[in-house]
Amino acid sequence: MMVLITYDVSTQDAKGKGRLRKVAKECVNYGQRVQNSVFECIVDASQALILKDKLCSLINPEQDSLRFYYLGNKYETKIEHFGVKEGYKAEGFLMI
């Protein structure tokens, strides 16, 4: 299923900057960055729970926020893209 993850981590101090890096690094392990604080992740239900637990343990809930949008398996019909940085095929090949 496709899960869209967005986050806003306060970077007013050094600890916040560290949390921001950790959240982004964890998201990279599961998906593709599509905007600065937005990731599209193709995961199964158990991976989604694991990722949510990891990310929630990294943030400070008094200062930061996370949002998870569960788009499901038919996500292609729910996503439209306009402008620069043409979209990618989430389940296609990724060359590094």
Side-chain angles (χ1 to χ4, degrees), residues 3-90:
V3 179
L4 184 74
I5 300 172
T6 67
Y7 55 88
D8 187 15
V9 176
S10 174
T11 57
Q12 294 182 351
D13 59 20
K15 287 183 181 181
K17 291 175 184 175
R19 288 193 312 272
L20 177 64
R21 283 190 298 279
K22 289 176 185 176
V23 168
K25 187 174 182 180
E26 196 61 47
C27 287
V28 165
N29 290 335
Y30 285 86
Q32 175 73 33
R33 183 188 300 264
V34 292
Q35 293 192 357
N36 285 339
S37 297
V38 181
F39 282 81
E40 292 178 351
C41 302
I42 303 289
V43 292
D44 61 30
S46 63
Q47 289 173 318
L49 286 174
I50 291 168
L51 178 55
K52 182 171 73 169
D53 286 344
K54 285 181 181 179
L55 293 177
C56 286
S57 73
L58 293 174
I59 68 163
N60 177 343
E62 305 286 322
Q63 299 176 351
D64 311 327
S65 67
L66 282 169
R67 294 179 71 96
F68 297 83
Y69 299 88
Y70 299 94
L71 301 178
N73 293 323
K74 306 265 188 233
Y75 61 87
E76 293 95 348
T77 62
K78 299 175 185 174
I79 300 171
E80 289 185 306
H81 175 84
F82 304 95
V84 298
K85 292 189 179 180
E86 189 175 320
Y88 70 101
K89 189 96 170 139

